Amino acid sequence: VELRRANPAGEGDLRADGKAGARLGARECLERLAAHELWQRRDGLAEHEGVGLALGVWPGGSDSSGATCRLDDDGGVTLVTGFSDMTGAESGFAAIVAELLGIAPEAVRITVADTATAPYAPLSGGSKATLAVGRAVAAAAEDARAQLLELAAAELEADPADLELVDG
């Protein structure tokens, strides 16, 4: 435990790829382990019994990705991504778009485009979809929102900051 306490990367520490690391919780895990009753009494175990530990951290979701949002004439939105969903992440993507555009998640259609034309997305796996692709989905929805408000502001001769998206 002491060796591992001395070595986990912390938030902001540079990783091997040169990016600043995120908070991973390694130190917190080690503190809970060190306080655990089994670890505390490890020296009093019967012969041929022992307690060991291993610690692995994975930053996840650090891949770059892209997405686009298209505002459709029926009031819905089509989200285009290259991410092949195998874990149910699409419902999360729909919720992100819906929240940012003030529409129901059911009004968000998700299209997975061919990799030759789709915005880049990482492979599906490792519980990273929402973090890696979700950021791109949010950025695409925010961009669509800004463009919509700019267009409406021009039509209404108003400041986009004075406009709201309400009830879809």
Side-chain angles (χ1 to χ4, degrees):
V1 169
E2 293 310 315
L3 173 67
R4 284 166 177 77
R5 277 181 172 160
N7 291 298
E11 187 172 2
D13 291 344
L14 291 182
R15 302 183 326 206
D17 63 5
K19 296 180 183 177
R23 182 180 172 279
L24 299 174
R27 291 183 195 281
E28 293 87 346
C29 286
L30 287 167
E31 294 308 316
R32 290 196 60 190
L33 174 84
H36 192 277
E37 135 186 28
L38 186 58
W39 186 259
Q40 292 294 317
R41 59 183 180 87
R42 69 190 180 281
D43 293 333
L45 296 174
E47 187 176 349
H48 305 296
E49 289 185 9
V51 176
L53 76 98
L55 176 69
V57 294
W58 181 66
S62 61
D63 303 57
S64 60
S65 60
T68 60
C69 281
R70 180 182 68 224
L71 304 176
D72 299 325
D73 59 5
D74 66 355
V77 174
T78 298
L79 170 68
V80 181
T81 179
F83 182 74
S84 296
D85 188 7
M86 296 189 301
T87 61
E90 286 184 359
S91 61
F93 299 160
I96 291 168
V97 172
E99 176 70 22
L100 291 169
L101 294 176
I103 59 176
E106 298 79 31
V108 180
R109 292 179 272 300
I110 299 178
T111 300
V112 178
D114 182 282
T115 55
T117 59
Y120 177 78
L123 61 88
S124 181
S127 304
K128 65 182 180 178
T130 304
L131 184 57
V133 182
R135 290 184 306 224
V137 168
E142 288 166 351
D143 183 54
R145 177 185 174 85
Q147 288 186 53
L148 179 60
L149 291 174
E150 285 289 332
L151 289 168
E155 279 295 313
L156 299 170
E157 297 179 4
D159 184 334
D162 294 333
L163 301 178
E164 297 178 18
L165 299 179
V166 180
D167 294 331

